[in-house]
């Protein structure tokens, strides 16, 4: 059976670093050549990084990306290189043509496409423009580029085993069985896909299932390369793979790491192409033997999520050029896990923990924080906020006290403590050129159980911002590890390696408390976290209504009135804290639907999710 | 000549307020009926408000919007009502049909369209689905809805003057001459358009020019209704209008206010329709005479911008249910203008000014602030931050002092002052249930000349966030009023009305200073504002490169090296402050391209605008 030797160059995405990306691409193409690969795949938009957002509106940026692509193309020899880049439509070889009739969903001409440039022997021979433009979840492709036309060129190479015709796709294109079938019917014996596919829990399984289904439905093998590395809230997890024409995975690269996987992919039977074919000619005249392709096993889910957080955190801090962080250590579970992630990302010398006891802090809080810092080997200082709090309280309470002696909403004084802590951390960070790491989790963020400009201060990405407090299992069986579960897993990993577990036992077991008022516990204000988290997940990710949420509690044995009251309280809190979430630092996405780019909500909004279920009459239509 | 009597019901957008919107729509339809209008137009998505963003992903929300639309439809009598709403594709009368072939730019089926429902006699007779989906600038339509098919139904009414066939469009549809020509060729004698078109300087002129050009090119009159009111960063400015088949404006409603304009629109000659026509039958059997339609003159540009800011600020604060604000008054021009806008929006009793002198505040700062407060008739208190600053400085400097006695980056101590002020304002606001109004302008925001979590604290929209410090004239002659220009205009308006000008003369004339270090002035760190503002505008709105910007300075007589240095410094500051802008409050959009929804940039980014112009070699292609 004829095979196509495909190299999957799983490289980092580095936004805006044309020179660095061009060097990495050139090197990967040369390495693939030394393996006598027929084709080398590199990540979608790998020349300029992805997503680059509105930088694509800037002519200089696009010109630089095109120039860098030409530079890599000039370095190509016999192996065909597929290079992801933005390209001005008018100058697009092979993938230009008129916009398909009836597809004008927007009057704005982009003049730009997201392409895979096809280069060999120092020349650009053509390009494939992405046809399906994801415009949902974290994706805004339709904002930036035009869709490629329907029938684009195929490419034929003469391998040592004979001629092979292949089709090129970009990312979303391969999620459509119909499109892969068209490419096969057009004459392709193999399909190669460039991707920049961001991580969430269970994503690799979804990817492989979609690509395998497309391969089976079209009877054609597919090679899929992904990017790696963190870019703002997104982490690209690698895991590049290839499936044969039966949809069986025959090669898989590492996750969360640079890799180069080379595989001899058995191609489908030759058919007379009905689409235009660009003849690239001979790739190699002989072939060295390959070692068996890697089939790296997927990581266990805690390992996977933890590694995603470490990767996203590390890449952000190093790429903005400030690989040092300061964070507040309260003795609680959230700051303990965040500090551990920061240390695993940047090393203990780059992390500074600060205990900031206030008037209502428990005695254990500083002790537990110090124990954590000692375990992690990081600097730890204690900077109380009590004097500052008393000063501001005296001055402001004096201004606010009414005739009855009341000083307004008590939450103002709780928030004051959190804001003096945030101010303290920001001052230390600004003075030393470090980033501040905030440590609030997704459960707290959802219900607004945090202080804007207080504990939410952060100039590094929030490593916990997309983690619920507790572990939840989705309906499809996917496990979504929470803060407690990840902390326990990290301790267990250390123990298994014969190291001291970083997170103190007391931190793992004591009741959650913000310690902003005497004897305060989270459970005074919120339902128990396991209940809260289940409601949040169904509401945020499955758009469950208030009625459905209350029904699920009743099915668990809750009193109907208590269930309705709890759901009402939770959804009202979620609605009322949109304005707070709008101003928090980015968080690293690990869930299907994270706060941030994934969920865009109006702030001024009369719609109440809490009462929606009862106020709606069904439409007549 | 036959006329179609069209009523333009220019109503507020109220996101999520289905009950309130339905009541307002029902009332407007009835009023139009009392004028014996044949057709009444209401705003795009008027039933649920616009933009509602990801609320459209929630089935309950869409069901409620559809139910409210049905409720308004049931109230219709003889006048044909056009109602803007989201609609589930499968249940769409008249505008369903297959998605046009080749238009699949996205694999995600939305199942939803943005429609104008056509109702009469208590019944829904059809609907037009928006065909062109703006997905640029502040718009994300392709994220939420599918495009309507190409040839949708036309509608025929029997007016007292005879039969008239008309076509329906939604917003972006009418910006395409080709689409309007198609509708005319299909058989329409008039075109009606539902809009939710947000304001920026010069927008009304653009709208009228585009619609007039389409009308002329197709030889068909067009009636255009717009929404009014503020929704988060957007302000809908009304100004609904109608043009005849020669593109002459024959009616124009008020700007920034609810209005109902009724006009007898001369229709184009009858042609045999080639598209399907829904026959709605008799509207009215007789017609009362109409007064001449209003032709409200556009506002002078300062008036227009100022009114936009007042409208956006007022609507946000009242819609979130917290129509009281606290703001810091520094004696400077920015806080003075912001306070004046807040008072014009909410009244003097709703605005609380706080002077917060620190160690480097000038003596005049509190005096000027107090004078402003007295002029505006608002509460004013002085809450020094000096003691709090000294306490935090003592504790933190102790921790930071190195062997040489240095205490790290000096900016940390400047920021500390700003953060103690932000904390003070947030405490007062939280205690009293008010919003905090931040007062930073667009020039400062662009170059990061503000303190994150300090002077940028704000839970109300920033009224100055889209205003440059100085007035700039665009190349097309559009004047973009700045902070100084608007302040002077507001004073002049007061003087012209025989009132005391609100903003003290000293505030208008003293040099700009943050007063965070001894003798500090803005001009120590930044180019003069007129230079800075011109560079920013060309860079942000026209994507001018560093080379082009430096060239423009040289053309003005600058030394080339000084020009390059200044441009380099400004662009470096803009690039380095993306992370700060990501966490600031929303600002009210008045420019073509505001920070926020309009400009979406990566944070971790190796691309430098400052050096872009010299590092790029031109592509070979």
């Amino acid at each position: 059976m004829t095979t196509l030797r495909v190299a999957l160059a799983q490289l980092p995405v580095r936004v805006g670093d044309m020179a660095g990306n061009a060097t990495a691409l050139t090197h990967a193409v040369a390495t693939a050549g030394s393996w006598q690969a027929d084709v080398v795949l590199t990540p979608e938009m790998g020349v300029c990084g992805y997503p680059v957002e509105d930088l694509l509106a800037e002519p200089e940026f696009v010109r630089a990306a095109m120039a860098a692509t030409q530079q890599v193309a000039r370095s190509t020899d016999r192996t065909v290189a597929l290079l992801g880049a933005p390209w001005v439509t008018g100058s697009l070889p092979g993938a230009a043509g008129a916009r398909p009739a009836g597809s004008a969903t927007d009057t704005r001409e982009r003049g730009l496409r997201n392409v895979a440039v096809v280069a060999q022997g120092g020349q650009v021979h053509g390009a494939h423009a992405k046809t399906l433009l994801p415009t949902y979840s974290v994706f805004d492709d339709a904002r930036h580029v035009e869709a490629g036309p329907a029938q684009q060129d195929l490419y034929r190479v003469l391998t040592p085993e004979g001629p092979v015709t292949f089709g090129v796709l970009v990312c979303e294109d391969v999620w459509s069985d119909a499109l892969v079938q068209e490419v096969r019917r057009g004459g392709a014996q193999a399909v190669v896909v460039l991707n920049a596919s961001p991580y969430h829990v269970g994503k690799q399984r979804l990817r492989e299932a979609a690509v395998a289904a497309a391969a089976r439905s079209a009877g054609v093998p597919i090679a899929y390369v992904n990017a790696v590395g963190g870019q703002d809230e997104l982490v690209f997890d690698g895991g590049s793979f290839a499936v044969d024409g039966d949809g069986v995975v025959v090669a898989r690269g590492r996750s969360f790491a640079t890799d180069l996987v080379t595989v001899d992919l058995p191609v489908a039977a030759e058919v007379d192409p009905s689409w235009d074919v660009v003849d690239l000619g001979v790739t190699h005249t002989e072939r060295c033997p390959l070692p068996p392709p890697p089939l790296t096993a997927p990581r266990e889910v805690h390992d996977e999520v933890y590694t995603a957080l470490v990767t996203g955190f590390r890449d952000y801090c190093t790429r903005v050029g400030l690989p040092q962080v300061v964070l507040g250590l309260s003795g609680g579970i959230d700051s303990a896990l965040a500090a551990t992630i920061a240390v695993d990302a940047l090393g203990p010398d780059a992390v500074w923990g600060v205990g900031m006891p206030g008037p209502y802090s428990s005695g254990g809080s500083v002790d537990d924080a110090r124990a954590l810092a000692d375990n992690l080997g990081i600097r730890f200082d204690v900077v109380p906020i009590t004097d500052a709090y008393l000063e501001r309280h005296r001055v402001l309470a004096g201004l606010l006290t009414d005739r009855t002696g009341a000083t307004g909403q008590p939450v103002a004084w709780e928030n004051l403590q959190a804001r003096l802590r945030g101010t303290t951390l920001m001052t230390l960070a600004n003075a030393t050129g470090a980033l501040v790491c905030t440590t609030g989790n997704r459960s707290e963020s959802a219900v607004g159980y945090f202080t804007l400009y207080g504990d939410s201060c952060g100039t590094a990405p929030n490593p916990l911002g997309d983690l619920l407090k507790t572990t939840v299992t989705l309906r499809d069986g996917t496990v979504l590890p929470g803060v407690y579960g990840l902390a326990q897993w990290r301790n267990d990993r250390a123990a298994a390696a014969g190291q001291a577990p970083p997170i103190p036992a007391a931190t793992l077991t004591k009741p959650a408390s913000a310690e902003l008022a005497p004897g305060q516990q989270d459970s005074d204000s919120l339902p128990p976290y396991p209940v809260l988290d289940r409601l949040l997940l169904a509401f945020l990710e499955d758009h469950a209504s208030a009625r459905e949420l209350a029904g699920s509690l009743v099915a668990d044995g809750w009193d109907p009135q208590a269930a309705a009251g709890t759901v009402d309280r939770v959804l009202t809190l979620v609605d009322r804290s949109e304005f707070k979430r709008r101003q928090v630092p980015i968080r690293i996405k690990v869930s299907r639907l994270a706060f941030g780019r994934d969920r865009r909500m109006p702030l001024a909004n009369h719609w109440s999710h809490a009462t929606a279920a009862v106020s709606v009459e069904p439409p007549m239509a």
Side-chain angles (χ1 to χ4, degrees), chain A:
Chain A
M1 187 181 250
T2 309
T3 63
L4 184 72
R5 181 164 289 186
V6 180
L8 308 171
Q10 181 172 298
L11 300 172
V13 289
R14 287 177 64 91
V15 160
D17 184 11
M18 316 303 182
N21 294 336
T23 302
L25 288 164
T26 301
H27 182 72
V29 171
T31 306
S34 71
W35 284 104
Q36 296 174 331
D38 300 309
V39 187
V40 56
L41 312 187
T42 63
E44 177 186 12
M45 289 278 195
V47 167
C48 62
Y50 180 86
V52 290
E53 311 192 47
D54 286 2
L55 288 169
L56 287 177
E58 302 183 2
E60 292 285 343
F61 183 88
V62 173
R63 268 197 289 273
M66 289 171 71
T69 310
Q70 296 277 13
Q71 181 195 322
V72 181
R74 282 196 295 273
S75 81
T76 57
D77 190 7
R78 301 187 145 208
T79 297
V80 178
L82 296 180
L83 307 171
W87 212 266
V88 174
T89 305
S91 68
L92 195 65
R99 212 171 177 190
S103 80
T105 57
D106 189 343
T107 50
R108 174 74 57 114
E109 283 293 326
R110 300 285 184 279
L112 199 67
R113 290 189 174 155
N114 172 345
V115 309
V117 163
V118 182
Q120 189 199 33
Q123 302 268 321
V124 170
H125 297 274
H128 173 92
K130 190 175 187 176
T131 305
L132 301 179
L133 303 177
T135 306
Y136 57 82
S137 175
V138 300
F139 305 107
D140 290 293
D141 277 26
R143 178 176 174 88
H144 303 296
V145 295
E146 290 178 36
Q151 289 188 15
Q152 299 183 49
D153 291 350
L154 305 179
Y155 298 86
R156 186 187 291 121
V157 287
L158 186 58
T159 79
E161 299 182 356
V164 175
T165 302
F166 64 90
V168 182
L169 296 178
V170 178
C171 210
E172 192 85 0
D173 293 345
V174 82
W175 291 74
S176 157
D177 287 3
L179 213 150
V180 175
Q181 289 164 18
E182 280 175 30
V183 173
R184 168 65 178 147
R185 279 196 301 269
Q189 298 169 263
V191 171
V192 298
V193 200
L194 310 195
N195 303 273
S197 175
Y199 172 75
H200 65 69
V201 173
K203 186 70 171 284
Q204 182 71 9
R205 190 164 39 79
L206 292 179
R207 266 181 219 134
E208 293 189 5
V211 171
R216 271 195 305 273
S217 78
V220 71
I222 303 178
Y224 181 109
V225 73
N226 196 16
V228 286
Q231 174 58 36
D232 291 357
E233 52 268 76
L234 302 183
V235 180
F236 297 91
D237 54 329
S240 302
F241 64 97
V243 298
D244 64 20
D246 296 322
V248 175
V249 176
V250 295
R252 186 188 295 112
R254 296 192 296 162
S255 56
F256 304 105
T258 302
D259 206 350
L260 187 108
V261 173
T262 308
V263 57
D264 289 327
L265 197 61
V267 302
E270 205 172 349
V271 291
D272 203 24
S274 55
W275 291 8
D276 289 342
V277 177
V278 176
D279 237 311
L280 300 170
V282 175
T283 51
H284 301 278
T285 50
E286 56 186 17
R287 233 179 218 183
C288 58
L290 274 190
L295 256 171
T296 315
R299 290 170 192 258
E300 188 277 331
V301 70
H302 292 85
D303 185 10
E304 178 185 293
V305 169
Y306 193 85
T307 307
L309 297 175
V310 169
T311 303
F313 192 82
R314 181 198 62 216
D315 285 359
Y316 184 92
C317 298
T318 52
R319 285 174 187 195
V320 302
L322 297 170
Q324 285 102 30
V325 298
V326 182
L327 81 172
L329 298 184
S330 69
I333 184 78
D334 292 323
S335 57
L337 180 61
T340 307
I341 291 170
V343 168
D344 286 341
L346 305 172
D349 293 344
V351 180
W352 183 6
V354 183
M356 295 172 286
Y360 308 111
S361 296
S362 64
S365 96
V366 168
D367 296 341
D368 294 340
R370 192 185 305 278
L372 171 81
D374 288 347
N375 294 347
L376 293 172
I378 64 173
R379 175 174 175 184
F380 180 67
D381 286 282
V382 176
V383 183
I385 58 149
T386 308
D387 287 353
Y389 174 75
L390 294 175
E391 191 278 343
R392 280 292 91 178
H393 186 277
R394 182 182 53 76
V395 170
L396 297 173
L399 204 60
L400 289 164
T401 306
D402 66 14
R403 279 162 306 199
T404 71
T407 57
Q409 301 293 323
V411 75
W413 308 110
E414 300 189 18
N415 286 340
L416 174 57
Q417 297 163 56
R419 290 190 180 113
L420 289 169
R421 291 194 176 103
T423 294
T424 297
L425 290 177
M426 289 299 297
T427 304
L428 295 176
N430 289 168
T432 59
L435 299 172
V436 168
C437 172
T438 180
T439 66
N441 62 59
R442 186 186 184 195
S443 308
E444 292 173 348
S445 186
V447 293
Y449 199 69
F450 66 93
T451 299
L452 185 63
Y453 315 134
D455 49 319
S456 71
C457 283
T459 47
N462 180 352
L464 309 194
D466 200 26
L467 293 182
L468 295 169
K469 192 85 169 185
T470 63
T471 297
V472 177
T473 303
L474 304 181
R475 280 180 300 191
D476 68 358
T478 306
V479 172
L480 206 57
V483 171
Y484 282 111
L486 274 191
Q488 186 63 58
W489 171 86
R490 181 62 182 77
N491 270 5
D492 292 348
R493 190 184 80 174
Q499 297 159 348
I503 300 172
T507 293
L508 275 164
T509 53
K510 67 183 169 186
S513 168
E515 299 192 343
L516 294 170
Q520 186 181 44
Q521 294 198 357
D522 291 10
S523 54
D524 303 340
S525 312
L526 302 174
Y529 279 112
V531 172
L532 176 66
D533 287 349
R534 226 186 61 195
L535 294 176
L536 288 175
L537 203 66
F539 174 68
L540 294 172
E541 301 201 2
D542 297 326
H543 303 306
S545 69
R547 192 192 288 141
E548 289 163 342
L549 294 174
S552 75
L553 292 183
V554 171
D556 279 0
W558 282 56
D559 165 70
Q561 206 165 343
T566 295
V567 168
D568 206 81
R569 191 150 55 95
V570 169
L571 296 192
T572 301
L573 289 170
V574 174
D575 283 347
R576 289 202 184 148
S577 46
E578 286 301 344
F579 79 97
K580 295 168 80 171
R581 280 190 294 275
R582 188 67 75 90
Q583 292 189 49
V584 299
I586 58 170
R587 78 289 292 152
I588 299 166
K589 174 182 163 81
V590 295
S591 77
R592 276 186 305 160
L593 200 154
F595 289 121
R597 292 167 66 97
D598 249 357
R599 186 174 186 273
R600 310 178 189 180
M601 285 288 170
L603 301 182
N605 179 10
H606 295 272
W607 179 253
S608 160
H609 288 99
T611 55
V614 287
S615 68
V616 174
E617 59 167 323
M620 289 163 64

